[in-house]
Amino acid sequence: MPQHAPSPRVCRNCDGFATAAITTGTRHSDGTRATLRVACPTCKGTGHTTPTPAPALAQAGR
C-alpha cells in the first residue's frame, strides 16, 4: 500500500486563497493598473494553518 503524506489543513478564513490582488483604480504611466496585494491575517499568506494543540486541563481544588 502506498504511504500518503498528510495534507496540511486549509485555512478556514481564506479557504486556501491566501493573497488577493486589489486594483486601486489608478494606472501607471505604462498603462498597467496599480494593485495592492493583501495577505490573509490568519495564515499570514500561506493558505494553510497549523493544528493548534488542545488546551491543557486545569486542575481546580485539591
Side-chain angles (χ1 to χ4, degrees):
M1 306 264 331
Q3 296 284 330
H4 295 289
S7 60
R9 292 183 168 190
V10 176
C11 178
R12 293 176 59 183
N13 290 344
C14 65
D15 201 27
F17 297 96
T19 54
I22 302 170
T23 61
T24 60
T26 59
R27 292 187 183 260
H28 295 289
S29 59
D30 63 351
T32 59
R33 293 204 179 261
T35 58
L36 300 172
R37 291 188 182 211
V38 181
C40 173
T42 303
C43 65
K44 313 256 187 314
T46 62
H48 304 288
T49 57
T50 56
T52 56
L57 295 175
Q59 184 173 0
R62 294 184 173 188

